[in-house]
C-alpha cells in the first residue's frame, strides 16, 4: 500500500542500501542485538525522516527488532526515489521527491493511519500533526524521538506551554548527535551539495555563514579548510536558551573569521549559507545590497531562512537555470542564484545526498537505542535527554569502528578528580 | 610591607604595566566606571593570582573602585618580578618567582592577614587555606571568585561535601572566560613558551596533547596550525561532571587528529603537553616507552600531571640544561627533557609570560564585575555562575574593542524562536 | 556529422553551457576580443579534451575567433553527454561517456580527419597519433597546445629524442595553469567526486595521498581542511626533472603530514588517492597489506597508477556495487573498493564533473591566447613555454574578476630591486 | 683577540650551544665525517652570520673539518652575547648585540683581516666589502657561500654587471634551504618573536603580510593557523626574475586570504609584517592611513622595508616603550608601534632567537657541504647553484633524523617516466 515515485527504481535503490549497510558498523552491531532479542516485538513505529539510503538502514534495524514500520519524508524534496522504491518492498513507504504541500501532509497522515506506538520525527511535523489534527491517536502513543535542533526547540516550546502529550527523547541533544551530526555531518554534506549544484570554486570565495551554532561552526571550518574566506554573521543577543550571539561572535573572531552583521556581510559575500533555525535572515532589506551573481543557500531545517517569496516579488524574472539552481533577476538587472529553493541544500535532490554515512550511523544508532528505551520504559510527557549510557555507548562503538581503543583512568586518577584537598 | 624580589625592577615593571594597560580596553572601560562610582569603597580584597602585568591592571582596576588590595601568587614560578616590584609601590604584594613551598604558603598567609572581605583565587589555594587553617577569618568573608577549571572542580567537590563556607563565583564557567581564556589563551601562550624554552621547530613534530577539554582543544588546534602532527589522548569514561572521554575522542578524531591512549601515544611523541587537570597522567609506566629526546610539558594548573618524582627516581642523572629545560637521563642512557619542572609551561618564567593580554582583559573584566557583584549582593555559600548579563557584557565589550558591531534580531525573529506552530 | 550519445540531451546541455558561460569572466573578455578581431579566421582546430561544459566555452571562444573546431574526448569516461549533444549543434563532436578503446581511437581519427592546423591536446594522445599513424597530416600543422603535466612530460621526452615534428606550447607549465589548475582545481574536484561517489565522511579518515607534486599538495591540503588525517607518500629520489622526492617529503612533513613509503602507508589508509603521473604505484605487493574496505582512487591523468589488472587477478570476485564504485573481493574475503576504474576520479562520470568553473576559466584563457599565439607566430618544433605576458595577463584578469586591484611598485622600488650596493 | 660583550656570559652560552648541538643531527653527521677526513685543513674561513647558538654549531663543524674560523655578525642587533662569549673561547669572534654602524663595519673588517680563503655571508655585506674596500684580499679568495634571498639577488645583480670576482654558491637557492628555512623557519621564528615582544593575542587580529614569496607564504600560513585573519599584499608586476605579483596574488586568494594593495590594507591591519626584500614598502603615504595602535614589523633581511626615518619625521614623539617595542606618536595623537626598529624581528634580541634549531641544522648542513665543495673544486667567478647531490643529501638526512624512510621507484616506474609512447 506504499506510494513511491517508481517501483522499478528498486534495484538501484537496493544497491544504495547495500553500500550504506556496508558502511554503518554501529547500526550493524545494534541490528545483531535486535535480531537476537526482538525488543520491538509488536510495536508499530511511524517515522518522518529524510528518506534515503542511511535512513533505510535505520528502518531495517527497527524492523529487525520486531517492529512494523511506516515511513514518510520530513521534507518535500529530499526523498531518494530509488531507495524509497527498494524500501517499499519491505515496509510501508509514502514518499517521493517533489511532493507538493498537499501531498506532503497526506503522506504524514498515511503513516499516522497505521496507529503507531512510537514516533520518530525530524522537525516535529509528525508530532505536531498528532497534537493538532490526529488527537484520537494520542492514547496509543508510548512516546517519540526527535532528530533536529529545530524540532527540539519546537518541543521545548510545547513543553513550556504544557501542550506536549507524550514523552519525546531529544535525540538531537545527545553529544553523539549534535557534536557530530550537526557539526561534522552538516558541514561536509552542505559543501558537497554546493559543489555539485554549482561546480564553482570555493577557494578564494568570500563565503558568509549566517549563524554560528554547531551547524554554522562546522560549515565555516570546512569552508576555511577549502580555501574560502569566511565571514560569520551573528546577532546582538540571544534567541532561545543557548549561548549569546556575542559569545559566538567572539569565538568566531578568535577562530580567524571576520564577524559582522548580515547587513554588512550582504555586500561582501560571493556565497551565503544560512544555519540559524530562524526566519527571514536574508530578506528584502538585504537583496538590494548583494553583489551581482551572489549565491544563496540554506542549511537550516526549514526553508524560511531566506525570504524567497520576497525575492520573487522583487524580481522581474525567475527561472531554474539548472538542477538545484534558480536565477532571480532583480529589476536593476542584478542576478541572484538560489540553491534548492532555499531548502536544506545538503539534502535536496539531486545535488544533495544528505549527511555522510558514518554520521548517520551514529545518529541513527542513538535513534534505535532511544526507540528501544521508549518501548521499555514508562516516561512522563516531557522532553527527555538521551540516557547517558546510550550516548556514551554510541561514541564508543563509533570509535571502535575506527580502530580507536582508549584506556580507563587509574583508581588514583578517579580519586583525585573527586578530592579537593590536594593543592599546589 | 610588601615582599618582592628586587624593588629596583619597578621601572621595567611599570613599562610592562603600561603596555598591558594600553592593550586592555575592556578593563579600561570598567575602570572608568569604577573611578566614577567607587563600588568597592571600604572593601579589602585578597588575591592569589599569577602575578604579572595583566594581573596588575586588574588589581589597579579594583583599587580604582575603592578597594584596598593585597596580592600573592598562585604559583611558585610565575611571578614577574619586575611587575611585582612596580605593584609593590601601590599596594601590598607578597610574591616572587622561585618561591619554595614554605615561602609560598607564608605569602598566602600574609595576604590573609589583611582580613579580606573578598577573595580572588586561581586554583583555590587561598580559599582552601581559609577553610583549613584560617577559619577565624571566615566570618569577614563576603565571598570570592575562582579563575580556573581546576579550582572550580575543587569547589564543586567542597560544595557537594557541604564544606564551602562562603559564596564563590565560578568565573571560570562564564562563556567569556572558558571559551576564550582556556581555549585561545592557553593555546597561544603554551605554544609561545615552548618555542622560547626550546627554540625547536614545531612543524613536522609529532605532538601529543593529553586531555581534550577546552585547553587541550585549543592547544591541539594551534599546534596543527603550526604544522605539527597532533595526537590526542583521551580516556575511556568520564572524570567529573563533564562530557565523556569517548565524545571528546570522537570529536578529536573528526577534527583530523590521531586519537589513542597515553600508553600508545608514548611511543610516538616528540613533544607532550598535558592538560587534564588530573594526576600522574604521564608516569613511570610511560617513561620507558618514550623516544629518546622526548620533551614533556604541562599546561594544567598543578604540577602533578607529569609524575616528576617518579621520573627522578628512574633517572641516573638530572640537570637543568638551560632555562626552563631539565634533562633526565634514564638508566639506559635515554634522555627526557621536562619543561619548567612540569609546572604551567605558559606561565613559568622566563619562557612563559602568561596568556595574551587581550585574553586576560576579558577574563579579568569578568573578575572585576564579579567582585562588584559579590560586594553588592548577599549570596548563599554555594558555587555561583557568573550572572548572564556580566558574561554577555564582557563579550560585547571585547567585540566592540575589535570594531565588531552586531545587529539585534527582528521582532519577527524573536517571535519565531518562541513559537512551535510553524512547520514545513 | 558529429557522433554523440543522444542528441535529445542538447537542451539540458545548453543549460550547463549557459551556467559555465555566466561563470567564466576571463574567457568572456577574450571572446569579446576574438569576436572583434577574428584572429583565428580560416584556422581549423582539432581538440582532444575532457568534453564538458567548461570545455564547451573554450570551443565557443575559439569559434568566435573565426576557427572551425572539431572535438573528441581525451578520456573514455569523462564526456558530459548533455554538453556533447549541445555542442554538436554548433561544431563537430565525436565523444560520449563510456567509449571502448576502439571507439576512443576512432574518435581521435575523426577529429584528425578534419585536417587541423592547430591541435589542443590533454595527455598527448592526439599529438602522439599524429606522429605515429597520421604522419601525412603533419605538414598542415602549425602547432599545438598541451594541457597536462603528463602530456608535457611525454613531449619533453619526444623533444629529447628529436621526435617532435611541430611546436607545442606547454600550457601546463604556465604559472597561471599549474599553480591553480593542478593544485586548487584538482583538489576540490577530486574531493567532491569522492564525496559524491561514496557519501562517506572524510573527517577522521586516514587518507593517503601518493605523490606530492602540485596535484598531491592541493589534495592533501584540502583533505586536511576537511578533517582527514593525511599521510603523504613520496619516493627516495627523482623521476623526471623536477624536485627530489626527498624535498617533497620534507615539505610534506613540515606541513604537518605523516610521510612514509607506500608499503608502509598501505597498512594505515582508509582511502588512497594517487597523483604521481607514474605507473603501478599501488600494485600487487600492496593489495594484501590494505585494510578491509579500503578505497582506492586516482587523480593522475592515466589509469595506470593503480594496477587494476593485477587487482582483478588477485580477486575471487569483482562487481560494480554502485555508480563509480567497484568492489574487489580478495581470496581471503577482504574487500577493496576502486573508484571509477582507477581513471581520473574528478572527471569520471557521473560522480566527477571536472575542475571548478573558475579554474578552467583560467586554464582555458591560456589555451585560447596560446592558440592565437601559435596562429600568429612561426615557432620551432620544440616544447615552448607560454609567453610571459599571456601568463601574467590571465592571472590579472582572474584577479580583476574577483575584484582584486593591485598597485605597481614605485620607481624607487624598481631601482632598489636592480641595485646591489645598498646594504645594512 | 676576539671582541664580545662580556666574556663571563660564556657559561650560559655554552649551555645554549649544547642544547643546539643535541638538536642538530644533520650537522652532527657531517661533523663526524669532517673529523675523520679534515676536508678544510689549512683553510681560513670568514663568516658574517647571525651569531647565535645554531651558527655556533656550524662554526664548530667547520673547525672540526680543519678550518680556522673568524666570525662577525651580519646584523647589529642579532648577536646572542652569551653564545658569542662561549665561541670566543674557541675561535675569533667580533660581535655583540647593539653595535652601531661604525662598529658593524669595523667588525666586518676584523674578520677580513684574517685573510680568508672562503667566505660565508648572509646578506652580502662581507662580499660587498671585499669588492669595494678590501680588494687586496680578493686574490686569496677561493669562493664563498651566501645564505639569503636578499644576498643572492645582490649577487645576481653583481654577476649581471660582471662585477663578481670569485665564485659564490647560492646556498639560499637550494631547495633544502629556501623551501624550509625561508618558509617554515621564518614563519615560526617571526611569530614567536612577535608574541614575545608584544604578549598580544594573534587570534582574531587582522594581520597584513606584505610580500608573498616563500617567507611571506610561510608567515601567512602560520598566522592563519593561529587564528589571525590574514590579508596578503602583492604588487602589479614583477621585481627581479621571479614569479609575477599577479600569480602570487592569485595563489594567496585561492589559499583563503584577502588580497589587496598596501594602500588599501593599511586601513585594516592590526599588525603588519613585511617580507618583500624591497624598500619603503610601508612609507609616509601609508602611516596616516593606519589604525591607532597598529603594530609594524619586518621579516625581510634589511631594515629598509618600513620607512622608519619618515615615520620619525612625522611623529611628535618616539620612545622605546618596552624591549623591542617603540612607540611613535603621530601629530594627530595616533600611536604606531614598531618592533625591533624595523630590523629582522625574528632575530632581533631579546624577543627574537632566530630560526628553530632543526631549520638551521638543514641550512647549515648545506653551508658546511658547500664550503667543502668550494674548497675542493675550482669554480668560475659566477653565482653557482648548490650541487644537486648536496641538496638531496641534506633533505634525506633531515628525514632520517625524523624517522622517515622512503622507497626507491621501481625500474618499471623509472622507465615509464622516460617513455612517451604509453598513452590512454
Amino acid at each position: 500500500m506504499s506510494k513511491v515515485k517508481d517501483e522499478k527504481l528498486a534495484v538501484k535503490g537496493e544497491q544504495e542500501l547495500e553500500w550504506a549497510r556496508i558502511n554503518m558498523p554501529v547500526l550493524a552491531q545494534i541490528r545483531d542485538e535486535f535480531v537476537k532479542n526482538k525488543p520491538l516485538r509488536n510495536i508499530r513505529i511511524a517515522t518522518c525522516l529524510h528518506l534515503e539510503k542511511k535512513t533505510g538502514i535505520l528502518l531495517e534495524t527497527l524492523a529487525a527488532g520486531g517492529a512494523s514500520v511506516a515511513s514518510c519524508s520530513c521534507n518535500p524534496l529530499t526523498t531518494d526515489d530509488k531507495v524509497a522504491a527498494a524500501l517499499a518492498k519491505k515496509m510501508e513507504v509514502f514518499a517521493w521527491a517533489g511532493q507538493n504541500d498537499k501531498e506532503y501532509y497526506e503522506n504524514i497522515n498515511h503513516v499516522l493511519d497505521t496507529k503507531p506506538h512510537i514516533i520518530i520525527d525530524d522537525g516535529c511535523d509528525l508530532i505536531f500533526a498528532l497534537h493538532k489534527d490526529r488527537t484520537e491517536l494520542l492514547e496509543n502513543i508510548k512516546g517519540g524521538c526527535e532528530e533536529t535542533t529545530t524540532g527540539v526547540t519546537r518541543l521545548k516550546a510545547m513543553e513550556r506551554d504544557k501542550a506536549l502529550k507524550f514523552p519525546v527523547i531529544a535525540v538531537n541533544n545527545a553529544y553523539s548527535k549534535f557534536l557530530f551530526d550537526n557539526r561534522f555531518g552538516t558541514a561536509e554534506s552542505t559543501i558537497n551539495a554546493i559543489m555539485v549544484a554549482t561546480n564553482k570554486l570555493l577557494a578564494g570565495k568570500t563565503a558568509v555563514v549566517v549563524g554560528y551554532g554547531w551547524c554554522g561552526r562546522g560549515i565555516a571550518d570546512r569552508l576555511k579548510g577549502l580555501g574560502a574566506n569566511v565571514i560569520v554573521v551573528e546577532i546582538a543577543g540571544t534567541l532561545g536558551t543557548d549561548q549569546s550571539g556575542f559569545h559566538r561572535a567572539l569565538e568566531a573572531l578568535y577562530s580567524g573569521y571576520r564577524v559582522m552583521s548580515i547587513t554588512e556581510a550582504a555586500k561582501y559575500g560571493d556565497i551565503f549559507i544560512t544555519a540559524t533555525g530562524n526566519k527571514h535572515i536574508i530578506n528584502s532589506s538585504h537583496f538590494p545590497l548583494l553583489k551581482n551573481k551572489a549565491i544563496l543557500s540554506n542549511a537550516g531545517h526549514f526553508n524560511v531562512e531566506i525570504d524567497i517569496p520576497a525575492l520573487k516579488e522583487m524580481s522581474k524574472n525567475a527561472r531554474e537555470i539548472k538542477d538545484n539552481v534558480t536565477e532571480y533577476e532583480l529589476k536593476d538587472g542584478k542576478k541572484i542564484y538560489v540553491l534548492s529553493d532555499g531548502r536544506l541544500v545538503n539534502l535536496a535532490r539531486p545535488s544533495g545526498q544528505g549527511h555522510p554515512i558514518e554520521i548517520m550511523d551514529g545518529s541513527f544508532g542513538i535513534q534505535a537505542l532511544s526507540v528501544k528505551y521508549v518501548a521499555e520504559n514508562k516516561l512522563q510527557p516531557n522532553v527527555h535527554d538521551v540516557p547517558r549510557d546510550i550516548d556514551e555507548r554510541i561514541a564508543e562503538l563509533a570509535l571502535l569502528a575506527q580502530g580507536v581503543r582508549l584506556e580507563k583512568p587509574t583508581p588514583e586518577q578517579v580519586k583525585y578528580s573527586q578530592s579537593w584537598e590536594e593543592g599546589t
Side-chain angles (χ1 to χ4, degrees), chain A:
Chain A
M1 254 183 14
S2 294
K3 293 179 71 175
V4 299
K5 176 97 78 186
D6 179 358
E7 289 180 16
K8 292 192 300 295
L9 297 170
V11 175
K12 270 277 185 189
E14 187 49 53
Q15 285 186 348
E16 292 287 323
L17 285 169
E18 183 174 7
W19 180 246
R21 207 178 289 121
I22 288 169
N23 288 293
M24 298 183 90
V26 173
L27 276 183
Q29 176 119 359
I30 293 170
R31 194 167 50 232
D32 288 351
E33 293 170 22
F34 275 19
V35 164
K36 211 159 81 187
N37 303 324
K38 299 285 175 192
L40 305 177
R41 200 189 316 262
N42 300 326
I43 302 276
R44 287 191 300 276
I45 301 178
T47 78
C48 181
L49 295 163
H50 301 288
L51 212 71
E52 37 89 58
K53 60 183 174 297
K54 288 91 72 177
T55 312
I57 307 305
L58 169 63
L59 301 181
E60 281 183 15
T61 303
L62 298 173
S68 60
V69 180
S71 298
C72 62
S73 172
C74 63
N75 183 298
L77 297 186
T78 61
T79 299
D80 183 335
D81 290 315
K82 305 186 295 297
V83 168
L87 288 172
K89 306 208 148 191
K90 316 179 191 178
M91 59 185 69
E92 289 189 272
V93 175
F94 306 88
W96 55 92
Q99 303 165 45
N100 61 31
D101 268 19
K102 180 159 162 292
E103 292 165 339
Y104 180 78
Y105 286 104
E106 280 173 3
N107 287 332
I108 282 182
N109 278 292
H110 283 312
V111 305
L112 290 180
D113 291 342
T114 62
K115 297 184 185 158
H117 304 108
I118 295 177
I119 297 298
I120 303 181
D121 213 348
D122 183 304
C124 252
D125 282 349
L126 201 59
I127 291 171
F128 184 64
L130 273 167
H131 283 76
K132 189 155 165 250
D133 302 319
R134 302 297 299 268
T135 49
E136 82 281 6
L137 298 170
L138 284 169
E139 65 179 332
N140 279 322
I141 307 277
K142 256 192 96 54
C145 298
E146 166 58 40
E147 175 78 7
T148 65
T149 311
T150 294
V152 171
T153 305
R154 288 177 90 186
L155 288 168
K156 292 275 187 188
M158 289 174 79
E159 185 185 42
R160 201 182 51 234
D161 297 354
K162 312 240 185 275
L164 187 63
K165 299 302 180 198
F166 54 80
V168 184
I169 309 281
V171 165
N172 181 73
N173 291 7
Y175 280 119
S176 298
K177 162 60 169 74
F178 75 87
L179 273 180
F180 306 116
D181 183 313
N182 301 19
R183 178 166 165 204
F184 296 107
T186 302
E188 278 198 27
S189 57
T190 296
I191 283 168
N192 186 26
I194 292 172
M195 285 170 155
V196 172
T198 68
N199 195 215
K200 289 192 53 113
L201 186 72
L202 293 176
K205 290 291 180 304
T206 299
V208 178
V209 176
V210 192
Y212 201 64
W214 285 115
C215 290
R217 282 183 186 98
I219 294 167
D221 189 42
R222 293 330 190 192
L223 283 169
K224 186 185 193 182
L226 287 166
N229 191 287
V230 178
I231 293 174
V232 168
V233 168
E234 261 297 341
I235 51 165
T238 312
L239 293 181
T241 57
D242 213 322
Q243 285 171 276
S244 163
F246 291 123
H247 292 131
R248 294 177 178 208
L250 197 53
E251 182 187 341
L253 189 78
Y254 287 171
S255 297
Y257 304 116
R258 280 187 282 169
V259 179
M260 51 185 82
S261 67
I262 180 63
T263 304
E264 194 179 352
K267 294 176 287 184
Y268 299 122
D270 296 307
I271 181 156
F272 295 75
I273 301 165
T274 54
T276 69
N278 210 298
K279 193 176 175 175
H280 294 181
I281 304 305
I282 306 183
N283 58 44
S284 59
S285 71
H286 307 121
F287 300 133
L289 306 173
L290 297 174
K291 294 202 289 192
N292 188 29
K293 301 190 192 174
I295 292 177
L296 307 182
S297 65
N298 168 47
H301 185 78
F302 289 120
N303 66 334
V304 297
E305 308 212 4
I306 304 166
D307 188 355
I308 291 181
L311 180 56
K312 270 188 192 140
E313 182 111 350
M314 296 171 79
S315 298
K316 64 180 177 191
N317 226 329
R319 57 169 181 153
E320 192 184 42
I321 192 164
K322 65 189 291 280
D323 284 342
N324 299 93
V325 183
T326 305
E327 180 187 86
Y328 291 88
E329 188 176 359
L330 299 195
K331 275 142 198 170
D332 63 357
K334 185 167 69 182
K335 288 170 182 171
I336 308 295
Y337 297 99
V338 176
L339 304 189
S340 303
D341 296 338
R343 290 189 184 272
L344 270 173
V345 71
N346 63 332
L347 278 153
R349 300 261 146 201
S351 312
Q353 56 176 337
H355 284 356
I357 300 175
E358 294 87 337
I359 289 292
M360 297 317 298
D361 192 29
S363 295
F364 286 157
I366 303 175
Q367 285 283 13
L369 296 184
S370 294
V371 165
K372 174 170 176 278
Y373 181 79
V374 169
E376 294 176 345
N377 292 278
K378 192 160 172 46
L379 304 170
Q380 294 301 308
N382 296 317
V383 182
H384 295 262
D385 281 341
V386 171
R388 174 83 183 207
D389 61 331
I390 291 178
D391 198 0
E392 286 213 19
R393 180 152 180 247
I394 295 298
E396 187 177 10
L397 286 175
L399 286 165
L400 286 172
Q402 303 265 8
V404 177
R405 265 175 191 72
L406 301 177
E407 295 171 345
K408 295 206 169 146
T410 64
E412 179 191 37
Q413 287 163 355
V414 173
K415 178 157 168 268
Y416 184 86
S417 76
Q418 291 160 352
S419 79
W420 51 276
E421 306 211 357
E422 210 162 334
T424 296

